[in-house]
Amino acid sequence: MIAFLLVALGGGAGALLRYAVQRAFIARTGQSRAGTLLVNLAGTFALGLLLGLPLTAENRAAQLLVGTGFLGGLTTFSTVMAQLAELLRAKRWRTAAGYGLGTFVCALLLAAAGYAAGRCIFV
């Protein structure tokens, strides 16, 4: 039961931060793609870092709160897909391809970099 509460608490906080970042980007630029990209890339690096740390019984609760909860709530695959669908409906093929591929490639590289950094912390 405690695990569910940790995930819910972290997830709520992450979702609120994502919403605040996206609102800030909408207010400045009129669109939310840059905000979505920022939270997804920061979240993937942070999750990679967290996963690179050794998993012990002591930090399991922190991984549930921060990894599954907060970072799960912060990052959003479904919003990226909805934004890509919008771009495709508007026939903005190049922007959609750049945004989709750029998000995927950068997220993969940042997750790997975060994981490597996490592994190095306890070497």
Side-chain angles (χ1 to χ4, degrees):
M1 185 59 151
I2 290 178
F4 285 101
L5 294 173
L6 290 170
V7 171
L9 181 65
L16 286 172
L17 179 58
R18 174 176 24 102
Y19 179 74
V21 169
Q22 287 180 313
R23 296 295 303 165
F25 273 88
I26 290 170
R28 290 194 180 169
T29 66
Q31 56 89 22
S32 65
R33 280 191 313 275
T36 302
L37 183 63
L38 176 67
V39 297
N40 282 338
L41 295 182
T44 7
F45 177 82
L47 188 57
L49 178 68
L50 187 66
L51 293 174
L53 299 174
L55 179 61
T56 64
E58 294 82 33
N59 68 11
R60 179 67 180 141
Q63 287 195 337
L64 286 171
L65 177 70
V66 176
T68 305
F70 181 76
L71 295 172
L74 177 67
T75 58
T76 173
F77 183 75
S78 58
T79 300
V80 172
M81 294 303 109
Q83 290 169 341
L84 285 171
E86 276 180 26
L87 290 169
L88 293 172
R89 269 195 300 271
K91 295 182 178 13
R92 296 180 61 194
W93 314 114
R94 288 186 182 144
T95 302
Y99 181 57
L101 290 171
T103 297
F104 177 75
V105 170
C106 289
L108 185 59
L109 292 172
L110 284 168
Y115 183 82
R119 300 299 293 171
C120 290
I121 289 173
F122 285 97
V123 172

